[in-house]
Amino acid sequence: MDKRGISAIVNGDKWLILADTHVGMEFELQGKGVRVPTQTSRIVSNIVSWAEEEGSSRIMILGDVKHELPYPIESINEVKSFIENLSKSFEEVVLVAGNHDGGLEQVVSRIGLSNVKFYDSRGFMANVNGKKALLMHGNSKPNLEDFEKAEVMVMGHTHPAVVIQDEHGFVTKRPAILKIRIDKGELGKRLYGKEIEGGELNIIVLPTANHLTIGVDVASTLTTVFDAPRTILRYVEPWRIPDKIEIYLTDLTYLGTLDIVKRVTFERVNFDSI
């Protein structure tokens, strides 16, 4: 199953962590003349299936829970239905705001479900698999005090994907998960302009959890996940550390580091042009 998220032990419980469900995307497509039936129930069904596969009773969505900007009346009921169905299916639901989530806090408040919690896009700290982790969307700088404590950052926002070509020449694009290993002191200096204690920081970047879209090719020479609007990944400066950016498929198949994937992609393109 194309499980677009990760499972982890968060504060002692097993959670499924996702990002970028973009509920209501079909309304934007309809505005462009593409008729797509509502997909909310399928998104919920996918999430429940992924959680059952992992044995997770709690769900976390790291931003862009909804899609529409601004927030049209047509998608309000879809978002309410989405949250209410997640609340029925899981013991706890955590929603972190993303850049598409204007008005979401008010919707969550009106619904008033005790097992649904909301955080702003800067995220929150938790113990994840024994590490001090900052869970956020990725469009806003985290609070300095959270960054200073974090050993791991988990985010979404940029929709990483990878293009794969098999031996027969068939090309497909698949959603991907990134693991970035970076010097915390260097990243902190670029983010905040001040000296921060160093050591290695791991950044996990999750793919979009909406089945209507795949994402952005991490190896593209034209646009990458590091160029997305208002992403903190700009501060990673990937050209400095391509050998420390690991690329995985959603089943956690390891494809290699960014420098290797880019080289393979470049060689394939040149071979095909002969």
Side-chain angles (χ1 to χ4, degrees):
M1 183 181 289
D2 184 17
K3 176 174 63 66
R4 300 192 187 186
I6 58 173
S7 61
I9 303 299
V10 181
N11 296 336
D13 296 306
K14 194 164 189 180
W15 288 70
L16 179 65
I17 305 175
L18 306 168
D20 299 279
T21 48
H22 286 272
V23 171
M25 178 183 288
E26 55 270 27
F27 292 104
E28 179 182 285
L29 295 175
Q30 288 172 12
K32 297 177 179 179
V34 181
R35 297 294 179 182
V36 180
T38 176
Q39 298 294 302
T40 303
S41 61
R42 181 174 173 185
I43 297 172
V44 172
S45 177
N46 286 343
I47 292 173
V48 170
S49 295
W50 298 338
E52 289 176 348
E53 181 183 346
E54 295 296 331
S56 304
S57 60
R58 294 164 170 83
I59 178 72
M60 186 183 304
I61 302 175
L62 301 182
D64 285 358
V65 176
K66 67 182 184 67
H67 180 70
E68 293 286 343
L69 280 174
Y71 201 10
I73 190 68
E74 292 87 355
S75 64
I76 290 178
N77 289 336
E78 295 300 317
V79 175
K80 285 182 178 178
S81 174
F82 178 68
I83 296 172
E84 288 168 350
N85 279 289
L86 288 182
S87 174
K88 293 174 185 176
S89 301
F90 295 94
E91 293 180 28
E92 292 183 69
V93 178
V94 166
L95 306 176
V96 175
N99 52 298
H100 279 252
D101 289 327
L104 181 62
E105 184 175 11
Q106 289 78 7
V107 172
V108 172
S109 178
R110 287 193 205 107
I111 295 174
L113 296 167
S114 61
N115 65 336
V116 178
K117 296 180 181 178
F118 179 88
Y119 294 90
D120 69 31
S121 62
R122 293 176 182 268
F124 65 100
M125 293 293 297
N127 184 303
V128 177
N129 292 344
K131 299 285 187 179
K132 296 175 183 176
L134 174 56
L135 299 137
M136 59 187 296
H137 181 55
N139 64 312
S140 303
K141 290 183 185 180
N143 293 313
L144 175 58
E145 56 269 30
D146 289 341
F147 181 82
E148 289 176 328
K149 296 174 186 175
E151 300 171 275
V152 178
M153 292 169 57
V154 186
M155 59 173 282
H157 182 48
T158 57
H159 303 193
V162 63
V163 173
I164 300 172
Q165 180 175 331
D166 67 16
E167 66 272 21
H168 303 294
F170 178 77
V171 177
T172 184
K173 186 163 72 169
R174 302 277 298 278
I177 298 172
L178 305 184
K179 179 181 178 182
I180 303 168
R181 296 179 290 116
I182 190 168
D183 182 271
K184 184 177 179 180
E186 286 297 320
L187 180 59
K189 191 182 298 182
R190 295 172 204 153
L191 278 168
Y192 304 102
K194 61 175 290 186
E195 294 292 335
I196 292 175
E197 288 189 18
E200 188 172 81
L201 175 72
N202 287 331
I203 304 175
I204 307 299
V205 188
L206 300 177
T208 172
N210 189 305
H211 56 276
L212 292 179
T213 186
I214 302 298
V216 180
D217 181 18
V218 296
S220 171
T221 57
L222 298 176
T223 180
T224 73
V225 298
F226 301 94
D227 297 323
R230 299 196 307 273
T231 175
I232 64 168
L233 291 186
R234 288 177 181 268
Y235 298 92
V236 168
E237 298 184 355
W239 61 88
R240 297 179 185 269
I241 54 166
D243 59 328
K244 295 185 178 180
I245 301 174
E246 301 172 2
I247 302 171
Y248 298 82
L249 296 179
T250 56
D251 64 358
L252 300 185
T253 298
Y254 177 53
L255 298 182
T257 52
L258 180 61
D259 56 328
I260 293 172
V261 171
K262 286 178 75 73
R263 186 168 66 247
V264 169
T265 301
F266 178 78
E267 290 172 351
R268 183 187 70 221
V269 170
N270 277 276
F271 177 79
D272 291 344
S273 66
I274 296 175

